[in-house]
């Protein structure tokens, strides 16, 4: 995808997801952020909180899904778009399918754990009962830069 092909609305909401990622970084967690939009309004926000909560499932997407389901008073999130700074893992991709999210927009690809086209492609698997429309690489450089800076800082501190 070229930068010129990014829809202004996708860029606007991805910038909100980047703000969430920055919150994760400030809290000492991997900078991944997510927002869920329904009818032009953000109804769920989340950022990685695995360190804070000591919970392996506290990924940005999972937290945003819970908030969005609460906002709609329904686990079915049809008509919603998830914006996330990093390609979702298999847990999060599975949750997107189960939640019936219509559309996924992500920034940076994850060549080690991505489950939306990189390592796996759960969200577009025709064998499943629901598929998610995917837009890849929105503000990819900015999203990837956050991750690179975080991991460089962790290595400088002697952490893996």
């Amino acid at each position: 995808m070229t930068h010129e092909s990014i829809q202004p609305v996708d860029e606007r909401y991805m910038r909100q997801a980047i703000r969430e990622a920055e919150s994760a970084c400030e809290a000492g967690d991997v900078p991944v952020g997510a927002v869920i939009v329904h009818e032009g309004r953000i109804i769920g926000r989340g950022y990685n909180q695995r360190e804070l909560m000591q919970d392996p499932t506290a990924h940005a997407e999972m937290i945003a899904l819970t908030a969005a389901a609460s906002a709609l008073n329904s686990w079915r999130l049809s008509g919603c778009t998830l914006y996330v700074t990093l390609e979702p893992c298999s847990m999060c991709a599975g949750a997107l399918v189960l939640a019936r999210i219509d559309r996924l927009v992500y920034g940076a690809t994850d060549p080690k754990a991505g489950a939306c086209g990189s390592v796996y492609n759960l969200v577009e698997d025709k064998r499943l009962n629901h598929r998610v429309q995917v837009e890849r690489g929105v503000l990819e450089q900015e999203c990837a830069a956050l991750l690179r800076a975080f991991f460089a800082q962790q290595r400088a501190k002697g952490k893996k």
Side-chain angles (χ1 to χ4, degrees):
M1 166 192 295
T2 63
H3 184 70
E4 293 78 29
S5 67
I6 296 173
Q7 298 298 314
V9 69
D10 287 344
E11 186 173 314
R12 182 172 78 236
Y13 289 124
M14 186 60 75
R15 291 204 183 283
Q16 291 293 314
I18 289 170
R19 284 192 189 100
E20 294 295 320
E22 290 166 346
S23 294
C25 193
E26 289 166 13
D29 215 321
V30 177
V32 178
V35 297
I36 296 178
V37 176
H38 180 258
E39 296 178 353
R41 188 171 59 92
I42 295 175
I43 61 166
R45 294 176 178 273
Y47 58 87
N48 272 8
Q49 296 181 42
R50 293 179 308 167
E51 296 297 333
L52 177 69
M53 300 174 86
Q54 289 301 297
D55 179 351
T57 68
H59 288 201
E61 302 94 322
M62 302 299 279
I63 292 166
L65 284 169
T66 299
S70 179
L72 293 181
N73 198 29
S74 176
W75 63 267
R76 291 177 186 89
L77 299 179
S78 300
C80 293
T81 299
L82 171 75
Y83 293 85
V84 62
T85 57
L86 180 65
E87 178 183 359
C89 69
S90 56
M91 174 184 68
C92 294
L96 297 181
V97 170
L98 294 173
R100 313 297 196 268
I101 287 279
D102 284 353
R103 188 166 175 257
L104 164 66
V105 179
Y106 71 80
T109 59
D110 186 347
K112 292 184 179 181
C116 300
S118 291
V119 178
Y120 304 105
N121 194 352
L122 292 176
V123 295
E124 294 176 311
D125 192 320
K126 290 179 176 34
R127 295 170 294 180
L128 299 177
N129 66 330
H130 177 77
R131 280 167 295 290
V132 180
Q133 177 189 344
V134 181
E135 184 73 32
R136 298 165 174 88
V138 174
L139 299 182
E140 181 173 14
Q141 296 308 315
E142 290 176 48
C143 294
L146 272 175
L147 291 159
R148 278 193 305 273
F150 175 81
F151 286 114
Q153 183 181 55
Q154 293 299 104
R155 284 190 298 276
K157 292 178 182 176
K159 297 180 180 178
K160 289 186 178 183

